[in-house]
Amino acid sequence: MAADDLGFAAFAAGTAGRLLHVATLLTSEPAQPPGANPHAQRLLTAALGMTYAHWERLRGDDPYVDARRELAGRFAREARRFRRGRGGPLSRLAPRERLAVVLTLYEGLYDEQAAALMGLSEERVRELRRRGVGVLRSTPAPPPVTAPASREGAAA
Protein backbone atom coordinates (compact mmCIF):
# COMPACT_ATOMS: atom_id res chain seq x y z
CA MET A 1 0.00 0.00 0.00
CA ALA A 2 1.39 3.41 -0.94
CA ALA A 3 1.97 6.10 1.67
CA ASP A 4 -0.90 8.17 0.21
CA ASP A 5 -3.23 5.20 0.50
CA LEU A 6 -2.18 4.68 4.11
CA GLY A 7 -2.74 8.37 4.83
CA PHE A 8 -6.22 8.24 3.37
CA ALA A 9 -7.00 5.00 5.22
CA ALA A 10 -5.97 6.64 8.51
CA PHE A 11 -8.04 9.73 7.71
CA ALA A 12 -11.11 7.65 6.81
CA ALA A 13 -10.78 5.51 9.93
CA GLY A 14 -10.49 8.59 12.12
CA THR A 15 -13.32 10.64 10.63
CA ALA A 16 -15.84 8.19 9.17
CA GLY A 17 -17.80 7.96 12.42
CA ARG A 18 -18.29 11.70 12.73
CA LEU A 19 -19.05 12.12 9.03
CA LEU A 20 -21.57 9.27 9.21
CA HIS A 21 -23.26 11.03 12.12
CA VAL A 22 -23.42 14.25 10.09
CA ALA A 23 -24.88 12.33 7.14
CA THR A 24 -27.40 10.60 9.41
CA LEU A 25 -28.55 13.94 10.81
CA LEU A 26 -28.89 15.33 7.29
CA THR A 27 -30.88 12.40 5.93
CA SER A 28 -32.95 12.33 9.11
CA GLU A 29 -32.61 8.59 9.45
CA PRO A 30 -32.44 6.87 12.81
CA ALA A 31 -28.91 5.98 13.86
CA GLN A 32 -30.00 2.84 15.67
CA PRO A 33 -30.15 -0.05 15.07
CA PRO A 34 -26.94 -0.29 13.06
CA GLY A 35 -27.70 -0.25 9.34
CA ALA A 36 -30.89 1.80 9.76
CA ASN A 37 -29.30 4.67 7.83
CA PRO A 38 -28.58 3.41 4.29
CA HIS A 39 -28.98 6.85 2.68
CA ALA A 40 -26.47 8.35 5.12
CA GLN A 41 -24.05 5.51 4.47
CA ARG A 42 -24.37 6.10 0.73
CA LEU A 43 -23.69 9.84 1.17
CA LEU A 44 -20.65 9.06 3.31
CA THR A 45 -19.28 6.54 0.82
CA ALA A 46 -19.65 9.01 -2.04
CA ALA A 47 -18.03 11.83 -0.03
CA LEU A 48 -15.09 9.66 1.01
CA GLY A 49 -14.73 8.42 -2.58
CA MET A 50 -14.48 11.97 -3.90
CA THR A 51 -12.07 12.92 -1.12
CA TYR A 52 -9.89 9.97 -2.08
CA ALA A 53 -10.01 11.11 -5.72
CA HIS A 54 -8.77 14.56 -4.60
CA TRP A 55 -6.30 13.17 -2.05
CA GLU A 56 -3.15 14.12 -3.97
CA ARG A 57 -4.34 17.73 -4.37
CA LEU A 58 -5.18 18.09 -0.68
CA ARG A 59 -1.58 18.31 0.50
CA GLY A 60 -1.49 20.92 3.25
CA ASP A 61 -5.29 21.27 3.27
CA ASP A 62 -7.61 19.70 5.81
CA PRO A 63 -9.18 16.63 4.17
CA TYR A 64 -12.09 16.78 6.62
CA VAL A 65 -13.13 20.12 5.12
CA ASP A 66 -13.11 18.56 1.65
CA ALA A 67 -15.11 15.52 2.80
CA ARG A 68 -17.66 17.72 4.61
CA ARG A 69 -17.98 19.97 1.54
CA GLU A 70 -18.57 16.93 -0.64
CA LEU A 71 -21.11 15.48 1.82
CA ALA A 72 -23.04 18.75 2.16
CA GLY A 73 -22.98 19.42 -1.57
CA ARG A 74 -24.22 15.96 -2.46
CA PHE A 75 -26.97 16.22 0.17
CA ALA A 76 -28.03 19.64 -1.16
CA ARG A 77 -28.17 18.34 -4.75
CA GLU A 78 -30.28 15.36 -3.67
CA ALA A 79 -32.40 17.21 -1.07
CA ARG A 80 -35.64 16.38 -2.85
CA ARG A 81 -35.06 12.75 -1.85
CA PHE A 82 -34.98 13.70 1.82
CA ARG A 83 -38.11 15.86 2.11
CA ARG A 84 -39.94 13.42 4.34
CA GLY A 85 -38.42 12.70 7.71
CA ARG A 86 -37.32 9.17 8.29
CA GLY A 87 -37.65 9.12 12.05
CA GLY A 88 -34.35 10.77 12.97
CA PRO A 89 -33.99 13.61 15.47
CA LEU A 90 -34.24 16.30 12.77
CA SER A 91 -37.02 14.69 10.75
CA ARG A 92 -39.45 17.60 11.32
CA LEU A 93 -37.09 19.99 9.51
CA ALA A 94 -37.01 20.68 5.78
CA PRO A 95 -33.77 19.56 4.08
CA ARG A 96 -32.27 23.09 3.85
CA GLU A 97 -33.12 23.75 7.50
CA ARG A 98 -31.43 20.49 8.45
CA LEU A 99 -28.35 21.43 6.46
CA ALA A 100 -28.16 24.90 8.06
CA VAL A 101 -28.69 23.51 11.58
CA VAL A 102 -26.15 20.70 11.16
CA LEU A 103 -23.47 22.87 9.57
CA THR A 104 -23.74 25.76 12.02
CA LEU A 105 -24.73 24.11 15.28
CA TYR A 106 -23.31 20.59 15.05
CA GLU A 107 -20.28 21.24 12.85
CA GLY A 108 -19.66 24.70 14.33
CA LEU A 109 -19.26 26.59 11.05
CA TYR A 110 -19.74 30.33 10.89
CA ASP A 111 -22.72 31.55 8.89
CA GLU A 112 -20.49 32.73 6.05
CA GLN A 113 -18.81 29.29 5.84
CA ALA A 114 -22.18 27.50 5.81
CA ALA A 115 -23.48 29.98 3.25
CA ALA A 116 -20.54 29.26 0.95
CA LEU A 117 -21.14 25.51 1.24
CA MET A 118 -24.88 25.87 0.67
CA GLY A 119 -24.63 28.48 -2.09
CA LEU A 120 -26.89 30.87 -0.16
CA SER A 121 -26.50 34.26 1.49
CA GLU A 122 -25.52 34.52 5.14
CA GLU A 123 -28.92 36.04 5.94
CA ARG A 124 -30.70 33.07 4.36
CA VAL A 125 -28.58 30.60 6.35
CA ARG A 126 -29.37 32.48 9.58
CA GLU A 127 -33.08 32.43 8.73
CA LEU A 128 -33.03 28.70 7.93
CA ARG A 129 -31.19 27.99 11.20
CA ARG A 130 -33.62 30.16 13.22
CA ARG A 131 -36.61 28.48 11.65
CA GLY A 132 -35.13 25.02 12.22
CA VAL A 133 -34.31 25.72 15.84
CA GLY A 134 -37.81 27.12 16.33
CA VAL A 135 -39.35 23.93 14.98
CA LEU A 136 -37.10 21.81 17.18
CA ARG A 137 -37.95 23.88 20.27
CA SER A 138 -41.68 23.63 19.58
CA THR A 139 -41.49 19.86 19.39
CA PRO A 140 -42.64 18.35 22.68
CA ALA A 141 -39.95 16.44 24.48
CA PRO A 142 -40.43 12.67 24.54
CA PRO A 143 -41.59 11.31 27.90
CA PRO A 144 -38.74 10.34 30.20
CA VAL A 145 -37.81 6.71 30.19
CA THR A 146 -38.41 5.21 33.60
CA ALA A 147 -37.20 1.95 34.92
CA PRO A 148 -39.93 -0.65 35.35
CA ALA A 149 -41.05 -1.06 38.94
CA SER A 150 -39.43 -3.98 40.66
CA ARG A 151 -41.62 -6.75 41.99
CA GLU A 152 -40.51 -6.01 45.51
CA GLY A 153 -41.60 -2.36 45.19
CA ALA A 154 -44.92 -3.38 43.67
CA ALA A 155 -45.65 -5.86 46.47
CA ALA A 156 -44.97 -3.32 49.24
Side-chain angles (χ1 to χ4, degrees):
M1 205 179 243
D4 281 348
D5 291 343
L6 289 174
F8 178 78
F11 162 74
T15 61
R18 181 175 177 96
L19 286 169
L20 180 60
H21 189 69
V22 168
T24 301
L25 289 171
L26 290 174
T27 60
S28 189
E29 295 173 298
Q32 297 295 327
N37 54 356
H39 298 291
Q41 291 175 14
R42 188 181 53 76
L43 280 174
L44 172 64
T45 301
L48 287 177
M50 289 304 291
T51 302
Y52 181 71
H54 301 151
W55 193 252
E56 296 251 341
R57 294 185 309 194
L58 293 175
R59 296 205 187 277
D61 293 338
D62 184 359
Y64 185 84
V65 172
D66 188 69
R68 180 178 54 212
R69 180 183 321 114
E70 200 51 53
L71 187 74
R74 187 170 294 271
F75 174 78
R77 286 188 302 274
E78 299 177 3
R80 69 189 185 301
R81 302 173 85 192
F82 304 107
R83 287 204 182 278
R84 283 192 347 258
R86 292 177 161 83
L90 303 180
S91 62
R92 291 197 52 205
L93 302 181
R96 279 188 169 180
E97 291 169 345
R98 269 185 255 148
L99 188 54
V101 166
V102 170
L103 289 176
T104 57
L105 300 181
Y106 182 75
E107 283 292 292
L109 296 182
Y110 293 110
D111 290 338
E112 56 269 10
Q113 293 170 308
L117 279 176
M118 294 175 71
L120 301 171
S121 69
E122 291 177 46
E123 294 78 25
R124 182 72 176 132
V125 169
R126 276 193 287 276
E127 178 57 32
L128 288 168
R129 183 185 62 241
R130 276 190 216 113
R131 193 176 335 149
V133 169
V135 168
L136 293 173
R137 284 184 176 160
S138 70
T139 305
V145 177
T146 58
S150 68
R151 291 185 179 185
E152 293 171 7

